[in-house]
Amino acid sequence: MVNLEIKDLTFHYRKSHYTVFKDFNLTLSPGHIYGLLGANGTPRLAGDRLDRHTQRG
């Protein structure tokens, strides 16, 4: 199984000077469940099992 890796990601919206991510690094491993919450606690990204393809029956 392979990890999903993001390195040094910087992101801002086109019409804004607000930087959402700066030098963001993330490694996701198969078999784990991940989530990313916004500033007010609402989900921004709902992760699922990275090995989802093995769950097909």
Side-chain angles (χ1 to χ4, degrees), residues 9-52:
L9 173 71
T10 298
F11 175 81
H12 65 88
Y13 291 101
R14 190 174 295 172
K15 295 183 178 182
S16 172
H17 294 290
Y18 177 74
T19 301
V20 179
F21 294 109
K22 182 175 182 178
D23 300 326
F24 180 76
N25 296 300
L26 177 69
T27 301
L28 302 177
S29 301
H32 296 275
I33 297 173
Y34 298 92
L36 179 63
L37 299 178
N40 62 0
T42 59
R44 299 295 180 206
L45 170 71
D48 200 348
R49 292 178 60 99
L50 292 179
D51 59 349
R52 183 182 343 175

